[in-house]
Amino acid sequence: MKIFCGRANPTTGSVEWLEEDEHYDYHQEIARSSYADMLHDKDRNIKYYQGIRAAVSRVKDRGQKALVLDIGTGTGLLSMMAVTAGADFCYAIEVFKPMAEAAVKIVEKNGFSDKIKVINKHSTEVTVGPDGDMPCRANILITELFDTELIGEGALPSYEHAHRHLMQEDCEAVPHRATIYAQLVESRRMWSWNKLFPVRVQTSLGEQVIVPPLELERCPGAPSVYDIQLNQVSPTDFTVLSDVLPMFSVDFSKQVSSSAACYSRQFEPLASGQAQVVLSWWDIEMDPEGKTRCTMAPFWAHEDPQELQWRDHWMQCVYFLPQEEPVVQGSALCLVAHHDDYCVWYSLQRTSPQKNGRTHPARPVCDCQAHLLWNRPRFGEINDQHRTDQYAQALRTVLKPDSICLCVSDGSLLSMLAHYLGAEQVLTIESSAASHRLMKKIFKANHLEDKINVIEKRPELLTSEDLEGKKDLWRIRSPCGDCEGFDVHIMDDMIKHALDFRESKEAEPHPLWEYPCRSLSDPQQILAFDFRQPVPPQPVRAEGSIELTRPGRSHGAVLWMEYHLTPDSTISTGLLKPAEDKGYCCWNPHCKQAVYFFSTMLDPRAPLGGPQTVSYTVEFQPLTGDVSMDFTLTDTLGDGHGLTLL
């Protein structure tokens, strides 16, 4: 049996699916999971613990045994909390086999094997009865099945099945309730992540404007949410058009439906403008009274911004309206939240759907190809006029009236820049059918379909005939140790063991502009590539060391590319300017940087005279594009602490 596993390409940030054999043991999935980040989320842990204690107490007060069903138990933490709170027995469901095996060991190490049964199944496969996985139905339901969108990991179908087949009527649930909130905003920056803007090019004949095809302008876009750290977005980047609106709630203690539904909230715009984006987040209440609440609200909507919990496993959502719409201050509108069993999307309407009798619209689907080919950061990159100007200036220095240009880049507008700047002939390689169709549409909208030749072929398969005969987040990795009084060292050991595998020695793509971070060293060139020379067949290898220049806690190394377009013009995919004196960084918001996590970190109290250097080895395979890295973390005491490489 073959298994498909996702791999994030560190250069593009996109997920690529690779085929693994039946003996694949998921080490990389363990190493790159968010389990550790959840265990470090103290706000989440404390509030779950409070909710669990209250639920067990309510059941006991009714004179009943407290029988707990924990769906998606992970390390077994919530089940151990339940037993500690007085639960009589817990059935801990975990479908991921390596995690279920770890949970069994953690439960045993903490002395709860007689009270907790770990079941390695999907919750929909769990059976109840004398010969089943559970002898009877449970009366307390504990889950942590949520993602940034709340329902994107299948929470609704799982709850629906659990109430029908695994839970008693009138059961307790922790969390008890979830509420999704939304706020309508106007934001040119965020809208640039969804639509192609006109691109201006200064030529010898005056200004030329690359316009998007009408099909792109009318396309409702991709249905997927864009989850980001809204706390890292400057308030100057958007204009608030509405108050924070509670859109809908889900009561997890009662029967839950995964059927499609919509919820409308009338509001009066706070300002006139263009409605473009819906910002959304949720909170969960751990008890029926709502006394214990865990919220994902960004700082401007948080009850106590000083107590804001930073977390990476739950962020905030950015949704794009199908089309931007003008709104007038004080003129009532309806914001409508739609959802099916896995997705949420929004629309803006003049009247409530219940009043106009409209049926639930289907999920928006991209029909222009652009949203399937370009991810959100790529849209932002293409719409970056300063970046375009840099490329145009570089092209002016090399183009001649008889230049023949070959553009090797899926979905790039560089071929159009070359044409407008005077190249005699332009060819562009589009290796996928989707990018071929998209570029044809863009060329046609700009009357260039006969000016630029599109070659649908992978670059390495190109022949002279094709050219017409011309040849011109550290918490995610840090050890947990004890979590809320429970020993989870086994989880740490499993992640560390997973990190020892070759696949996990590769860097991971992360948008560092969303993550507050500080550099502990100055940037250093690792490898250089001369694109004017033939690609070398042998691996390109670099070894060296980098010196620590600032004290602090180190979590890993960051690598990125700088493209030297001309001697005077450089585009960086990483740092946009030198780090400040204290090391605070300004990262390119359109790109993801390659992050290599260290398995140990530097004690923040350690003096600069202690750890000073880190040795590195980087090897690049030109024919496959694979990059492997190895860092030897050393200090004067020989403890192997990690230093940040920037």
Side-chain angles (χ1 to χ4, degrees), residues 621-639:
Q621 301 285 349
L623 299 182
T624 63
D626 293 335
V627 180
S628 59
M629 287 160 282
D630 189 30
F631 292 86
T632 303
L633 312 176
T634 59
D635 59 37
T636 55
L637 301 178
D639 288 338

Side-chain angles (χ1 to χ4, degrees), residues 214-234:
L214 191 59
E215 189 175 347
L216 264 71
E217 293 184 344
R218 292 176 175 173
C219 179
S224 58
V225 64
Y226 187 26
D227 53 339
I228 67 171
Q229 299 279 1
L230 275 181
N231 291 313
Q232 301 306 311
V233 177
S234 170

